Every structure is written in structure tokens, then in C-alpha cells.
PDB file of all heavy atoms in Angstrom:
ATOM      1  N   LEU A   1      -6.424   6.606   8.504  1.00 60.00           N
ATOM      2  CA  LEU A   1      -5.519   7.742   8.637  1.00 60.00           C
ATOM      3  C   LEU A   1      -4.175   7.267   9.156  1.00 60.00           C
ATOM      4  O   LEU A   1      -4.095   6.334   9.947  1.00 60.00           O
ATOM      5  CB  LEU A   1      -6.104   8.774   9.590  1.00 60.00           C
ATOM      6  CG  LEU A   1      -7.465   9.340   9.198  1.00 60.00           C
ATOM      7  CD1 LEU A   1      -7.975  10.285  10.271  1.00 60.00           C
ATOM      8  CD2 LEU A   1      -7.381  10.048   7.856  1.00 60.00           C
ATOM      9  N   PHE A   2      -3.115   7.911   8.710  1.00 66.00           N
ATOM     10  CA  PHE A   2      -1.765   7.553   9.113  1.00 66.00           C
ATOM     11  C   PHE A   2      -1.029   8.775   9.605  1.00 66.00           C
ATOM     12  O   PHE A   2      -1.175   9.856   9.043  1.00 66.00           O
ATOM     13  CB  PHE A   2      -0.971   6.978   7.926  1.00 66.00           C
ATOM     14  CG  PHE A   2      -1.557   5.731   7.361  1.00 66.00           C
ATOM     15  CD1 PHE A   2      -2.371   5.779   6.246  1.00 66.00           C
ATOM     16  CD2 PHE A   2      -1.294   4.504   7.941  1.00 66.00           C
ATOM     17  CE1 PHE A   2      -2.919   4.634   5.719  1.00 66.00           C
ATOM     18  CE2 PHE A   2      -1.836   3.354   7.425  1.00 66.00           C
ATOM     19  CZ  PHE A   2      -2.650   3.407   6.308  1.00 66.00           C
ATOM     20  N   ASN A   3      -0.228   8.586  10.633  1.00 75.00           N
ATOM     21  CA  ASN A   3       0.712   9.612  11.057  1.00 75.00           C
ATOM     22  C   ASN A   3       1.969   9.378  10.229  1.00 75.00           C
ATOM     23  O   ASN A   3       2.774   8.492  10.529  1.00 75.00           O
ATOM     24  CB  ASN A   3       1.002   9.485  12.555  1.00 75.00           C
ATOM     25  CG  ASN A   3       2.047  10.473  13.018  1.00 75.00           C
ATOM     26  OD1 ASN A   3       2.645  11.200  12.222  1.00 75.00           O
ATOM     27  ND2 ASN A   3       2.285  10.503  14.317  1.00 75.00           N
ATOM     28  N   ARG A   4       2.117  10.128   9.176  1.00 75.00           N
ATOM     29  CA  ARG A   4       3.231   9.902   8.247  1.00 75.00           C
ATOM     30  C   ARG A   4       4.590  10.028   8.932  1.00 75.00           C
ATOM     31  O   ARG A   4       5.553   9.420   8.503  1.00 75.00           O
ATOM     32  CB  ARG A   4       3.120  10.844   7.056  1.00 75.00           C
ATOM     33  CG  ARG A   4       1.920  10.509   6.173  1.00 75.00           C
ATOM     34  CD  ARG A   4       1.697  11.542   5.082  1.00 75.00           C
ATOM     35  NE  ARG A   4       2.510  11.371   3.913  1.00 75.00           N
ATOM     36  CZ  ARG A   4       2.184  10.660   2.839  1.00 75.00           C
ATOM     37  NH1 ARG A   4       1.042  10.020   2.813  1.00 75.00           N
ATOM     38  NH2 ARG A   4       2.981  10.586   1.805  1.00 75.00           N
ATOM     39  N   ASN A   5       4.667  10.793  10.015  1.00 76.00           N
ATOM     40  CA  ASN A   5       5.930  10.929  10.735  1.00 76.00           C
ATOM     41  C   ASN A   5       6.326   9.643  11.444  1.00 76.00           C
ATOM     42  O   ASN A   5       7.494   9.445  11.767  1.00 76.00           O
ATOM     43  CB  ASN A   5       5.857  12.074  11.747  1.00 76.00           C
ATOM     44  CG  ASN A   5       5.738  13.412  11.073  1.00 76.00           C
ATOM     45  OD1 ASN A   5       6.281  13.624   9.992  1.00 76.00           O
ATOM     46  ND2 ASN A   5       5.020  14.327  11.693  1.00 76.00           N
ATOM     47  N   ALA A   6       5.364   8.762  11.699  1.00 83.00           N
ATOM     48  CA  ALA A   6       5.639   7.498  12.389  1.00 83.00           C
ATOM     49  C   ALA A   6       5.803   6.339  11.413  1.00 83.00           C
ATOM     50  O   ALA A   6       6.060   5.215  11.826  1.00 83.00           O
ATOM     51  CB  ALA A   6       4.509   7.195  13.371  1.00 83.00           C
ATOM     52  N   CYS A   7       5.651   6.597  10.119  1.00 89.00           N
ATOM     53  CA  CYS A   7       5.725   5.545   9.101  1.00 89.00           C
ATOM     54  C   CYS A   7       7.080   5.567   8.402  1.00 89.00           C
ATOM     55  O   CYS A   7       7.705   6.611   8.280  1.00 89.00           O
ATOM     56  CB  CYS A   7       4.634   5.755   8.048  1.00 89.00           C
ATOM     57  SG  CYS A   7       2.960   5.684   8.704  1.00 89.00           S
ATOM     58  N   SER A   8       7.487   4.393   7.922  1.00 94.00           N
ATOM     59  CA  SER A   8       8.738   4.330   7.168  1.00 94.00           C
ATOM     60  C   SER A   8       8.567   5.017   5.812  1.00 94.00           C
ATOM     61  O   SER A   8       7.457   5.050   5.260  1.00 94.00           O
ATOM     62  CB  SER A   8       9.162   2.878   6.950  1.00 94.00           C
ATOM     63  OG  SER A   8       8.310   2.245   6.018  1.00 94.00           O
ATOM     64  N   PRO A   9       9.635   5.551   5.257  1.00 95.00           N
ATOM     65  CA  PRO A   9       9.556   6.156   3.921  1.00 95.00           C
ATOM     66  C   PRO A   9       9.102   5.146   2.866  1.00 95.00           C
ATOM     67  O   PRO A   9       8.384   5.494   1.934  1.00 95.00           O
ATOM     68  CB  PRO A   9      10.980   6.640   3.643  1.00 95.00           C
ATOM     69  CG  PRO A   9      11.640   6.734   4.963  1.00 95.00           C
ATOM     70  CD  PRO A   9      10.976   5.719   5.843  1.00 95.00           C
ATOM     71  N   GLU A  10       9.495   3.892   3.031  1.00 96.00           N
ATOM     72  CA  GLU A  10       9.094   2.853   2.075  1.00 96.00           C
ATOM     73  C   GLU A  10       7.579   2.626   2.106  1.00 96.00           C
ATOM     74  O   GLU A  10       6.954   2.452   1.063  1.00 96.00           O
ATOM     75  CB  GLU A  10       9.835   1.537   2.386  1.00 96.00           C
ATOM     76  CG  GLU A  10      11.333   1.612   2.183  1.00 96.00           C
ATOM     77  CD  GLU A  10      12.112   2.149   3.383  1.00 96.00           C
ATOM     78  OE1 GLU A  10      11.498   2.580   4.385  1.00 96.00           O
ATOM     79  OE2 GLU A  10      13.342   2.144   3.315  1.00 96.00           O
ATOM     80  N   PHE A  11       7.007   2.652   3.312  1.00 94.00           N
ATOM     81  CA  PHE A  11       5.557   2.490   3.437  1.00 94.00           C
ATOM     82  C   PHE A  11       4.827   3.670   2.801  1.00 94.00           C
ATOM     83  O   PHE A  11       3.858   3.486   2.058  1.00 94.00           O
ATOM     84  CB  PHE A  11       5.151   2.355   4.908  1.00 94.00           C
ATOM     85  CG  PHE A  11       3.662   2.342   5.117  1.00 94.00           C
ATOM     86  CD1 PHE A  11       2.925   1.192   4.883  1.00 94.00           C
ATOM     87  CD2 PHE A  11       2.994   3.477   5.547  1.00 94.00           C
ATOM     88  CE1 PHE A  11       1.553   1.175   5.066  1.00 94.00           C
ATOM     89  CE2 PHE A  11       1.621   3.469   5.739  1.00 94.00           C
ATOM     90  CZ  PHE A  11       0.901   2.319   5.496  1.00 94.00           C
ATOM     91  N   ILE A  12       5.290   4.862   3.073  1.00 94.00           N
ATOM     92  CA  ILE A  12       4.647   6.056   2.514  1.00 94.00           C
ATOM     93  C   ILE A  12       4.694   6.015   0.990  1.00 94.00           C
ATOM     94  O   ILE A  12       3.692   6.281   0.322  1.00 94.00           O
ATOM     95  CB  ILE A  12       5.312   7.337   3.068  1.00 94.00           C
ATOM     96  CG1 ILE A  12       5.011   7.467   4.567  1.00 94.00           C
ATOM     97  CG2 ILE A  12       4.834   8.564   2.307  1.00 94.00           C
ATOM     98  CD1 ILE A  12       5.807   8.525   5.269  1.00 94.00           C
ATOM     99  N   HIS A  13       5.840   5.639   0.433  1.00 96.00           N
ATOM    100  CA  HIS A  13       5.967   5.539  -1.022  1.00 96.00           C
ATOM    101  C   HIS A  13       5.012   4.473  -1.574  1.00 96.00           C
ATOM    102  O   HIS A  13       4.335   4.702  -2.584  1.00 96.00           O
ATOM    103  CB  HIS A  13       7.410   5.227  -1.401  1.00 96.00           C
ATOM    104  CG  HIS A  13       7.602   5.028  -2.867  1.00 96.00           C
ATOM    105  ND1 HIS A  13       7.476   6.054  -3.783  1.00 96.00           N
ATOM    106  CD2 HIS A  13       7.886   3.914  -3.578  1.00 96.00           C
ATOM    107  CE1 HIS A  13       7.678   5.566  -5.006  1.00 96.00           C
ATOM    108  NE2 HIS A  13       7.927   4.270  -4.905  1.00 96.00           N
ATOM    109  N   ALA A  14       4.946   3.321  -0.913  1.00 95.00           N
ATOM    110  CA  ALA A  14       4.045   2.249  -1.355  1.00 95.00           C
ATOM    111  C   ALA A  14       2.590   2.701  -1.306  1.00 95.00           C
ATOM    112  O   ALA A  14       1.826   2.497  -2.255  1.00 95.00           O
ATOM    113  CB  ALA A  14       4.249   1.007  -0.497  1.00 95.00           C
ATOM    114  N   LEU A  15       2.202   3.335  -0.217  1.00 93.00           N
ATOM    115  CA  LEU A  15       0.822   3.805  -0.067  1.00 93.00           C
ATOM    116  C   LEU A  15       0.491   4.854  -1.126  1.00 93.00           C
ATOM    117  O   LEU A  15      -0.563   4.784  -1.772  1.00 93.00           O
ATOM    118  CB  LEU A  15       0.621   4.368   1.335  1.00 93.00           C
ATOM    119  CG  LEU A  15      -0.785   4.815   1.681  1.00 93.00           C
ATOM    120  CD1 LEU A  15      -1.751   3.631   1.656  1.00 93.00           C
ATOM    121  CD2 LEU A  15      -0.801   5.482   3.047  1.00 93.00           C
ATOM    122  N   ASP A  16       1.377   5.801  -1.330  1.00 93.00           N
ATOM    123  CA  ASP A  16       1.149   6.832  -2.345  1.00 93.00           C
ATOM    124  C   ASP A  16       1.031   6.209  -3.739  1.00 93.00           C
ATOM    125  O   ASP A  16       0.209   6.638  -4.548  1.00 93.00           O
ATOM    126  CB  ASP A  16       2.267   7.874  -2.329  1.00 93.00           C
ATOM    127  CG  ASP A  16       2.221   8.785  -1.105  1.00 93.00           C
ATOM    128  OD1 ASP A  16       1.188   8.813  -0.414  1.00 93.00           O
ATOM    129  OD2 ASP A  16       3.248   9.443  -0.844  1.00 93.00           O
ATOM    130  N   THR A  17       1.840   5.193  -4.005  1.00 96.00           N
ATOM    131  CA  THR A  17       1.791   4.517  -5.307  1.00 96.00           C
ATOM    132  C   THR A  17       0.455   3.819  -5.512  1.00 96.00           C
ATOM    133  O   THR A  17      -0.152   3.930  -6.581  1.00 96.00           O
ATOM    134  CB  THR A  17       2.950   3.507  -5.431  1.00 96.00           C
ATOM    135  OG1 THR A  17       4.190   4.224  -5.344  1.00 96.00           O
ATOM    136  CG2 THR A  17       2.895   2.754  -6.749  1.00 96.00           C
ATOM    137  N   VAL A  18      -0.020   3.111  -4.493  1.00 95.00           N
ATOM    138  CA  VAL A  18      -1.318   2.428  -4.606  1.00 95.00           C
ATOM    139  C   VAL A  18      -2.442   3.445  -4.779  1.00 95.00           C
ATOM    140  O   VAL A  18      -3.325   3.268  -5.621  1.00 95.00           O
ATOM    141  CB  VAL A  18      -1.570   1.507  -3.388  1.00 95.00           C
ATOM    142  CG1 VAL A  18      -2.996   0.960  -3.407  1.00 95.00           C
ATOM    143  CG2 VAL A  18      -0.570   0.361  -3.374  1.00 95.00           C
ATOM    144  N   LEU A  19      -2.410   4.513  -4.020  1.00 91.00           N
ATOM    145  CA  LEU A  19      -3.462   5.519  -4.132  1.00 91.00           C
ATOM    146  C   LEU A  19      -3.450   6.204  -5.498  1.00 91.00           C
ATOM    147  O   LEU A  19      -4.463   6.742  -5.937  1.00 91.00           O
ATOM    148  CB  LEU A  19      -3.328   6.548  -3.007  1.00 91.00           C
ATOM    149  CG  LEU A  19      -3.624   5.988  -1.613  1.00 91.00           C
ATOM    150  CD1 LEU A  19      -3.323   7.044  -0.553  1.00 91.00           C
ATOM    151  CD2 LEU A  19      -5.062   5.495  -1.499  1.00 91.00           C
ATOM    152  N   ALA A  20      -2.305   6.147  -6.188  1.00 94.00           N
ATOM    153  CA  ALA A  20      -2.197   6.713  -7.538  1.00 94.00           C
ATOM    154  C   ALA A  20      -2.505   5.670  -8.619  1.00 94.00           C
ATOM    155  O   ALA A  20      -2.337   5.943  -9.805  1.00 94.00           O
ATOM    156  CB  ALA A  20      -0.802   7.289  -7.753  1.00 94.00           C
ATOM    157  N   GLY A  21      -2.943   4.472  -8.200  1.00 95.00           N
ATOM    158  CA  GLY A  21      -3.346   3.459  -9.170  1.00 95.00           C
ATOM    159  C   GLY A  21      -2.364   2.327  -9.380  1.00 95.00           C
ATOM    160  O   GLY A  21      -2.612   1.422 -10.171  1.00 95.00           O
ATOM    161  N   GLY A  22      -1.240   2.349  -8.679  1.00 96.00           N
ATOM    162  CA  GLY A  22      -0.247   1.292  -8.817  1.00 96.00           C
ATOM    163  C   GLY A  22      -0.492   0.150  -7.848  1.00 96.00           C
ATOM    164  O   GLY A  22      -1.579   0.001  -7.292  1.00 96.00           O
ATOM    165  N   THR A  23       0.548  -0.648  -7.626  1.00 96.00           N
ATOM    166  CA  THR A  23       0.470  -1.763  -6.693  1.00 96.00           C
ATOM    167  C   THR A  23       1.649  -1.698  -5.739  1.00 96.00           C
ATOM    168  O   THR A  23       2.648  -1.023  -6.002  1.00 96.00           O
ATOM    169  CB  THR A  23       0.485  -3.133  -7.409  1.00 96.00           C
ATOM    170  OG1 THR A  23       1.732  -3.284  -8.090  1.00 96.00           O
ATOM    171  CG2 THR A  23      -0.669  -3.255  -8.391  1.00 96.00           C
ATOM    172  N   ALA A  24       1.534  -2.410  -4.624  1.00 97.00           N
ATOM    173  CA  ALA A  24       2.626  -2.491  -3.662  1.00 97.00           C
ATOM    174  C   ALA A  24       2.549  -3.827  -2.947  1.00 97.00           C
ATOM    175  O   ALA A  24       1.477  -4.412  -2.805  1.00 97.00           O
ATOM    176  CB  ALA A  24       2.548  -1.357  -2.648  1.00 97.00           C
ATOM    177  N   ARG A  25       3.712  -4.294  -2.537  1.00 97.00           N
ATOM    178  CA  ARG A  25       3.763  -5.534  -1.771  1.00 97.00           C
ATOM    179  C   ARG A  25       4.981  -5.485  -0.866  1.00 97.00           C
ATOM    180  O   ARG A  25       5.894  -4.685  -1.073  1.00 97.00           O
ATOM    181  CB  ARG A  25       3.831  -6.749  -2.688  1.00 97.00           C
ATOM    182  CG  ARG A  25       5.104  -6.869  -3.497  1.00 97.00           C
ATOM    183  CD  ARG A  25       5.143  -8.112  -4.377  1.00 97.00           C
ATOM    184  NE  ARG A  25       4.878  -9.333  -3.666  1.00 97.00           N
ATOM    185  CZ  ARG A  25       5.775 -10.036  -2.980  1.00 97.00           C
ATOM    186  NH1 ARG A  25       7.026  -9.622  -2.926  1.00 97.00           N
ATOM    187  NH2 ARG A  25       5.442 -11.141  -2.357  1.00 97.00           N
ATOM    188  N   ARG A  26       4.956  -6.349   0.135  1.00 96.00           N
ATOM    189  CA  ARG A  26       6.120  -6.518   0.988  1.00 96.00           C
ATOM    190  C   ARG A  26       6.876  -7.743   0.514  1.00 96.00           C
ATOM    191  O   ARG A  26       6.270  -8.732   0.114  1.00 96.00           O
ATOM    192  CB  ARG A  26       5.700  -6.693   2.444  1.00 96.00           C
ATOM    193  CG  ARG A  26       5.112  -5.419   3.025  1.00 96.00           C
ATOM    194  CD  ARG A  26       4.820  -5.566   4.472  1.00 96.00           C
ATOM    195  NE  ARG A  26       6.064  -5.799   5.225  1.00 96.00           N
ATOM    196  CZ  ARG A  26       6.083  -6.096   6.526  1.00 96.00           C
ATOM    197  NH1 ARG A  26       4.964  -6.181   7.214  1.00 96.00           N
ATOM    198  NH2 ARG A  26       7.237  -6.302   7.125  1.00 96.00           N
ATOM    199  N   THR A  27       8.184  -7.677   0.545  1.00 97.00           N
ATOM    200  CA  THR A  27       8.965  -8.829   0.101  1.00 97.00           C
ATOM    201  C   THR A  27       8.772 -10.017   1.035  1.00 97.00           C
ATOM    202  O   THR A  27       8.996 -11.154   0.632  1.00 97.00           O
ATOM    203  CB  THR A  27      10.462  -8.485   0.001  1.00 97.00           C
ATOM    204  OG1 THR A  27      10.930  -8.032   1.279  1.00 97.00           O
ATOM    205  CG2 THR A  27      10.692  -7.396  -1.043  1.00 97.00           C
ATOM    206  N   SER A  28       8.298  -9.782   2.241  1.00 96.00           N
ATOM    207  CA  SER A  28       8.052 -10.862   3.195  1.00 96.00           C
ATOM    208  C   SER A  28       6.709 -11.560   2.955  1.00 96.00           C
ATOM    209  O   SER A  28       6.431 -12.586   3.569  1.00 96.00           O
ATOM    210  CB  SER A  28       8.115 -10.332   4.631  1.00 96.00           C
ATOM    211  OG  SER A  28       7.162  -9.302   4.812  1.00 96.00           O
ATOM    212  N   TRP A  29       5.877 -11.011   2.091  1.00 95.00           N
ATOM    213  CA  TRP A  29       4.585 -11.629   1.780  1.00 95.00           C
ATOM    214  C   TRP A  29       4.775 -12.767   0.783  1.00 95.00           C
ATOM    215  O   TRP A  29       5.747 -12.768   0.015  1.00 95.00           O
ATOM    216  CB  TRP A  29       3.633 -10.611   1.186  1.00 95.00           C
ATOM    217  CG  TRP A  29       3.084  -9.622   2.161  1.00 95.00           C
ATOM    218  CD1 TRP A  29       3.271  -9.591   3.514  1.00 95.00           C
ATOM    219  CD2 TRP A  29       2.252  -8.515   1.854  1.00 95.00           C
ATOM    220  NE1 TRP A  29       2.605  -8.530   4.058  1.00 95.00           N
ATOM    221  CE2 TRP A  29       1.967  -7.846   3.058  1.00 95.00           C
ATOM    222  CE3 TRP A  29       1.729  -8.006   0.677  1.00 95.00           C
ATOM    223  CZ2 TRP A  29       1.169  -6.718   3.123  1.00 95.00           C
ATOM    224  CZ3 TRP A  29       0.934  -6.878   0.739  1.00 95.00           C
ATOM    225  CH2 TRP A  29       0.654  -6.246   1.948  1.00 95.00           C
ATOM    226  N   PRO A  30       3.821 -13.693   0.741  1.00 94.00           N
ATOM    227  CA  PRO A  30       3.900 -14.765  -0.261  1.00 94.00           C
ATOM    228  C   PRO A  30       3.886 -14.186  -1.679  1.00 94.00           C
ATOM    229  O   PRO A  30       3.261 -13.152  -1.930  1.00 94.00           O
ATOM    230  CB  PRO A  30       2.636 -15.585  -0.018  1.00 94.00           C
ATOM    231  CG  PRO A  30       2.182 -15.229   1.357  1.00 94.00           C
ATOM    232  CD  PRO A  30       2.654 -13.829   1.610  1.00 94.00           C
ATOM    233  N   GLU A  31       4.586 -14.842  -2.578  1.00 93.00           N
ATOM    234  CA  GLU A  31       4.601 -14.416  -3.983  1.00 93.00           C
ATOM    235  C   GLU A  31       3.163 -14.352  -4.504  1.00 93.00           C
ATOM    236  O   GLU A  31       2.355 -15.219  -4.212  1.00 93.00           O
ATOM    237  CB  GLU A  31       5.425 -15.406  -4.813  1.00 93.00           C
ATOM    238  CG  GLU A  31       5.742 -14.901  -6.200  1.00 93.00           C
ATOM    239  CD  GLU A  31       6.616 -13.656  -6.192  1.00 93.00           C
ATOM    240  OE1 GLU A  31       7.521 -13.549  -5.355  1.00 93.00           O
ATOM    241  OE2 GLU A  31       6.373 -12.776  -7.038  1.00 93.00           O
ATOM    242  N   GLY A  32       2.841 -13.313  -5.239  1.00 95.00           N
ATOM    243  CA  GLY A  32       1.499 -13.156  -5.799  1.00 95.00           C
ATOM    244  C   GLY A  32       0.531 -12.387  -4.926  1.00 95.00           C
ATOM    245  O   GLY A  32      -0.597 -12.134  -5.324  1.00 95.00           O
ATOM    246  N   GLN A  33       0.960 -11.978  -3.735  1.00 96.00           N
ATOM    247  CA  GLN A  33       0.098 -11.178  -2.857  1.00 96.00           C
ATOM    248  C   GLN A  33       0.528  -9.727  -2.950  1.00 96.00           C
ATOM    249  O   GLN A  33       1.714  -9.412  -2.847  1.00 96.00           O
ATOM    250  CB  GLN A  33       0.204 -11.658  -1.417  1.00 96.00           C
ATOM    251  CG  GLN A  33      -0.659 -10.854  -0.453  1.00 96.00           C
ATOM    252  CD  GLN A  33      -0.625 -11.419   0.955  1.00 96.00           C
ATOM    253  OE1 GLN A  33      -0.521 -12.616   1.154  1.00 96.00           O
ATOM    254  NE2 GLN A  33      -0.705 -10.551   1.936  1.00 96.00           N
ATOM    255  N   PHE A  34      -0.437  -8.828  -3.163  1.00 96.00           N
ATOM    256  CA  PHE A  34      -0.113  -7.408  -3.302  1.00 96.00           C
ATOM    257  C   PHE A  34      -1.330  -6.560  -2.973  1.00 96.00           C
ATOM    258  O   PHE A  34      -2.452  -7.057  -2.881  1.00 96.00           O
ATOM    259  CB  PHE A  34       0.389  -7.100  -4.716  1.00 96.00           C
ATOM    260  CG  PHE A  34      -0.600  -7.398  -5.809  1.00 96.00           C
ATOM    261  CD1 PHE A  34      -1.444  -6.411  -6.293  1.00 96.00           C
ATOM    262  CD2 PHE A  34      -0.689  -8.668  -6.356  1.00 96.00           C
ATOM    263  CE1 PHE A  34      -2.356  -6.684  -7.308  1.00 96.00           C
ATOM    264  CE2 PHE A  34      -1.584  -8.952  -7.368  1.00 96.00           C
ATOM    265  CZ  PHE A  34      -2.424  -7.955  -7.839  1.00 96.00           C
ATOM    266  N   LEU A  35      -1.093  -5.279  -2.808  1.00 96.00           N
ATOM    267  CA  LEU A  35      -2.149  -4.290  -2.591  1.00 96.00           C
ATOM    268  C   LEU A  35      -2.374  -3.524  -3.882  1.00 96.00           C
ATOM    269  O   LEU A  35      -1.429  -3.245  -4.619  1.00 96.00           O
ATOM    270  CB  LEU A  35      -1.751  -3.293  -1.506  1.00 96.00           C
ATOM    271  CG  LEU A  35      -1.423  -3.852  -0.130  1.00 96.00           C
ATOM    272  CD1 LEU A  35      -1.006  -2.716   0.792  1.00 96.00           C
ATOM    273  CD2 LEU A  35      -2.600  -4.612   0.440  1.00 96.00           C
ATOM    274  N   ALA A  36      -3.627  -3.175  -4.126  1.00 96.00           N
ATOM    275  CA  ALA A  36      -3.987  -2.366  -5.289  1.00 96.00           C
ATOM    276  C   ALA A  36      -5.291  -1.657  -4.970  1.00 96.00           C
ATOM    277  O   ALA A  36      -6.001  -2.026  -4.024  1.00 96.00           O
ATOM    278  CB  ALA A  36      -4.141  -3.252  -6.531  1.00 96.00           C
ATOM    279  N   PRO A  37      -5.632  -0.642  -5.754  1.00 94.00           N
ATOM    280  CA  PRO A  37      -6.912   0.019  -5.527  1.00 94.00           C
ATOM    281  C   PRO A  37      -8.063  -0.985  -5.657  1.00 94.00           C
ATOM    282  O   PRO A  37      -8.037  -1.871  -6.512  1.00 94.00           O
ATOM    283  CB  PRO A  37      -6.980   1.066  -6.646  1.00 94.00           C
ATOM    284  CG  PRO A  37      -5.554   1.310  -7.015  1.00 94.00           C
ATOM    285  CD  PRO A  37      -4.868  -0.010  -6.832  1.00 94.00           C
ATOM    286  N   ASN A  38      -9.063  -0.843  -4.788  1.00 93.00           N
ATOM    287  CA  ASN A  38     -10.256  -1.684  -4.860  1.00 93.00           C
ATOM    288  C   ASN A  38     -10.984  -1.342  -6.160  1.00 93.00           C
ATOM    289  O   ASN A  38     -11.309  -0.179  -6.398  1.00 93.00           O
ATOM    290  CB  ASN A  38     -11.157  -1.420  -3.655  1.00 93.00           C
ATOM    291  CG  ASN A  38     -12.344  -2.331  -3.595  1.00 93.00           C
ATOM    292  OD1 ASN A  38     -12.986  -2.610  -4.604  1.00 93.00           O
ATOM    293  ND2 ASN A  38     -12.663  -2.791  -2.404  1.00 93.00           N
ATOM    294  N   PRO A  39     -11.235  -2.337  -7.013  1.00 91.00           N
ATOM    295  CA  PRO A  39     -11.863  -2.044  -8.307  1.00 91.00           C
ATOM    296  C   PRO A  39     -13.339  -1.661  -8.223  1.00 91.00           C
ATOM    297  O   PRO A  39     -13.888  -1.138  -9.180  1.00 91.00           O
ATOM    298  CB  PRO A  39     -11.683  -3.346  -9.093  1.00 91.00           C
ATOM    299  CG  PRO A  39     -11.576  -4.403  -8.057  1.00 91.00           C
ATOM    300  CD  PRO A  39     -10.913  -3.749  -6.873  1.00 91.00           C
ATOM    301  N   THR A  40     -13.962  -1.881  -7.079  1.00 90.00           N
ATOM    302  CA  THR A  40     -15.395  -1.596  -6.964  1.00 90.00           C
ATOM    303  C   THR A  40     -15.726  -0.469  -5.995  1.00 90.00           C
ATOM    304  O   THR A  40     -16.836   0.049  -6.028  1.00 90.00           O
ATOM    305  CB  THR A  40     -16.179  -2.853  -6.546  1.00 90.00           C
ATOM    306  OG1 THR A  40     -15.666  -3.320  -5.297  1.00 90.00           O
ATOM    307  CG2 THR A  40     -16.047  -3.944  -7.592  1.00 90.00           C
ATOM    308  N   VAL A  41     -14.777  -0.096  -5.127  1.00 89.00           N
ATOM    309  CA  VAL A  41     -15.035   0.960  -4.146  1.00 89.00           C
ATOM    310  C   VAL A  41     -13.907   1.987  -4.230  1.00 89.00           C
ATOM    311  O   VAL A  41     -12.781   1.717  -3.808  1.00 89.00           O
ATOM    312  CB  VAL A  41     -15.137   0.393  -2.713  1.00 89.00           C
ATOM    313  CG1 VAL A  41     -15.437   1.518  -1.727  1.00 89.00           C
ATOM    314  CG2 VAL A  41     -16.191  -0.700  -2.628  1.00 89.00           C
ATOM    315  N   ALA A  42     -14.209   3.131  -4.791  1.00 88.00           N
ATOM    316  CA  ALA A  42     -13.202   4.183  -4.966  1.00 88.00           C
ATOM    317  C   ALA A  42     -12.605   4.595  -3.624  1.00 88.00           C
ATOM    318  O   ALA A  42     -13.313   4.731  -2.631  1.00 88.00           O
ATOM    319  CB  ALA A  42     -13.829   5.393  -5.646  1.00 88.00           C
ATOM    320  N   GLY A  43     -11.295   4.757  -3.614  1.00 85.00           N
ATOM    321  CA  GLY A  43     -10.607   5.231  -2.424  1.00 85.00           C
ATOM    322  C   GLY A  43     -10.209   4.149  -1.441  1.00 85.00           C
ATOM    323  O   GLY A  43      -9.541   4.443  -0.462  1.00 85.00           O
ATOM    324  N   GLN A  44     -10.609   2.914  -1.674  1.00 90.00           N
ATOM    325  CA  GLN A  44     -10.229   1.820  -0.786  1.00 90.00           C
ATOM    326  C   GLN A  44      -9.093   1.012  -1.401  1.00 90.00           C
ATOM    327  O   GLN A  44      -8.988   0.898  -2.620  1.00 90.00           O
ATOM    328  CB  GLN A  44     -11.404   0.892  -0.496  1.00 90.00           C
ATOM    329  CG  GLN A  44     -12.380   1.446   0.503  1.00 90.00           C
ATOM    330  CD  GLN A  44     -13.378   0.397   0.968  1.00 90.00           C
ATOM    331  OE1 GLN A  44     -13.407  -0.728   0.496  1.00 90.00           O
ATOM    332  NE2 GLN A  44     -14.209   0.787   1.898  1.00 90.00           N
ATOM    333  N   ILE A  45      -8.280   0.446  -0.531  1.00 92.00           N
ATOM    334  CA  ILE A  45      -7.185  -0.414  -0.953  1.00 92.00           C
ATOM    335  C   ILE A  45      -7.583  -1.850  -0.658  1.00 92.00           C
ATOM    336  O   ILE A  45      -8.072  -2.157   0.430  1.00 92.00           O
ATOM    337  CB  ILE A  45      -5.887  -0.045  -0.212  1.00 92.00           C
ATOM    338  CG1 ILE A  45      -5.475   1.389  -0.577  1.00 92.00           C
ATOM    339  CG2 ILE A  45      -4.776  -1.026  -0.546  1.00 92.00           C
ATOM    340  CD1 ILE A  45      -4.296   1.905   0.213  1.00 92.00           C
ATOM    341  N   ALA A  46      -7.363  -2.726  -1.632  1.00 94.00           N
ATOM    342  CA  ALA A  46      -7.732  -4.131  -1.500  1.00 94.00           C
ATOM    343  C   ALA A  46      -6.499  -5.019  -1.538  1.00 94.00           C
ATOM    344  O   ALA A  46      -5.447  -4.635  -2.044  1.00 94.00           O
ATOM    345  CB  ALA A  46      -8.689  -4.528  -2.629  1.00 94.00           C
TER     346      ALA A  46
END
């Protein structure tokens, strides 16, 4: 659970995108690392 009022707009957009089936990453992460829906467990982010 997240307190959306305490989160950055960029984080909220990224989270909403992943939950809708997209991907998200931080530019500070190594190239090739990203978040996406877990392909085996519905509702989880991997």
C-alpha cells in the first residue's frame, strides 16, 4: 500500500503504468533493469 500524497507524481505514474501492463524504470538503475507485472502471480510487480 502507498500513501499517494507522499509519493512523487513520477512514481505514481510509473506504478500505474506497471499495474496496467507496462514497464517502468529509474534512470539511476543499471541499463536493462526495469519493473513489470509478474508473469506468474497476478497483481504482483517483479
Side-chain angles (χ1 to χ4, degrees):
L1 301 176
F2 299 97
N3 176 355
R4 292 173 83 91
N5 293 327
C7 299
S8 71
E10 295 85 355
F11 173 79
I12 292 169
H13 177 68
L15 184 64
D16 289 345
T17 298
V18 172
L19 292 174
T23 63
R25 67 179 307 276
R26 291 185 63 187
T27 58
S28 58
W29 287 355
E31 192 64 38
Q33 179 175 327
F34 61 94
L35 302 178
N38 185 318
T40 58
V41 181
Q44 283 191 356
I45 297 174

